[in-house]
Amino acid sequence: HVQELTETIPNGSRIETRHYMVTDNIVRLQRLHEWEGLQSVIRVDRKREFKNGKNKGKDSEIETAYYLCSRVLSAEQAAEYVRGHWGIENSLHYVLDVSYNEDRSRIRKENAAENMNILRKITTNMIRTVKGTKSFKFHRVQFLLSDQKIKEL
């Protein structure tokens, strides 16, 4: 069976409408792919409408994402799960971009960009374990300047 939920979120110069569909009717998928533990599939259609063509002259854009789940979820639970997933993803991307200027990185050769992204995530997680009130940037610089700081982790 399929459960659906639609939510509209005004956000400054845009309005985002998200339509969630959740199904546990996945017999064909399980047969085709043999994904162990698969219980349901979530489909999210996102439509962003921009006021005054604020997104590179576009009035709107549509995106569809799929999520494979190891639990049967209601549409409300699926929406909460997806929002939580993107909250974590956006938070990490913000740290990587602000702290490491990742969006401006010129690293392109072979797997170098992906490897650097992994190293940045590892160091970000290491720095987040440090207790105290100093900024992320402060601790990042401290680790760069001192091998001893890294050993203390």
Side-chain angles (χ1 to χ4, degrees):
H1 79 296
V2 176
Q3 289 191 38
E4 298 184 49
L5 173 73
T6 300
E7 60 185 14
T8 301
I9 302 119
N11 184 3
S13 64
R14 70 177 189 208
I15 297 172
E16 183 167 337
T17 303
R18 299 178 192 151
H19 183 77
Y20 300 88
M21 292 184 286
V22 183
T23 184
D24 58 1
N25 184 7
I26 54 171
V27 174
R28 185 169 180 231
L29 276 177
Q30 289 172 320
R31 217 173 321 139
L32 287 172
H33 300 287
E34 299 178 12
W35 286 319
E36 190 175 321
L38 181 65
Q39 296 292 313
S40 63
V41 175
I42 303 168
R43 175 182 167 154
V44 183
D45 296 313
R46 293 182 188 88
K47 181 177 183 182
R48 293 181 196 91
E49 298 174 88
F50 304 97
K51 299 175 186 172
N52 305 322
K54 295 250 182 189
N55 189 39
K56 300 174 189 166
K58 289 193 264 179
D59 293 330
S60 67
E61 65 184 15
I62 297 173
E63 155 184 287
T64 300
Y66 293 89
Y67 300 85
L68 305 177
C69 296
S70 58
R71 296 185 347 195
V72 175
L73 302 172
S74 69
E76 291 79 10
Q77 289 171 317
E80 188 176 319
Y81 169 82
V82 170
R83 284 191 301 268
H85 169 79
W86 281 106
I88 292 166
E89 193 71 26
N90 289 339
S91 171
L92 180 57
H93 177 76
Y94 177 81
V95 169
L96 292 174
D97 189 32
V98 170
S99 298
Y100 300 101
N101 284 325
E102 190 168 71
D103 286 348
R104 292 187 191 103
S105 176
R106 309 277 300 157
I107 300 169
R108 302 279 186 265
K109 191 169 184 176
E110 297 174 3
N111 296 328
E114 186 176 349
N115 292 339
M116 283 304 298
N117 177 266
I118 291 167
L119 289 172
R120 289 178 184 125
K121 287 177 181 175
I122 290 169
T123 58
T124 296
N125 288 330
M126 290 173 66
I127 292 169
R128 284 182 172 169
T129 66
V130 176
K131 304 282 188 249
T133 58
K134 301 285 185 185
S135 72
F136 182 89
K137 183 177 181 180
F138 173 84
H139 289 295
R140 188 171 64 99
V141 171
Q142 292 298 305
F143 285 118
L144 286 171
L145 298 175
S146 170
D147 288 343
Q148 185 59 37
K149 283 282 193 188
I150 294 171
K151 291 175 185 173
E152 289 173 9
L153 285 178

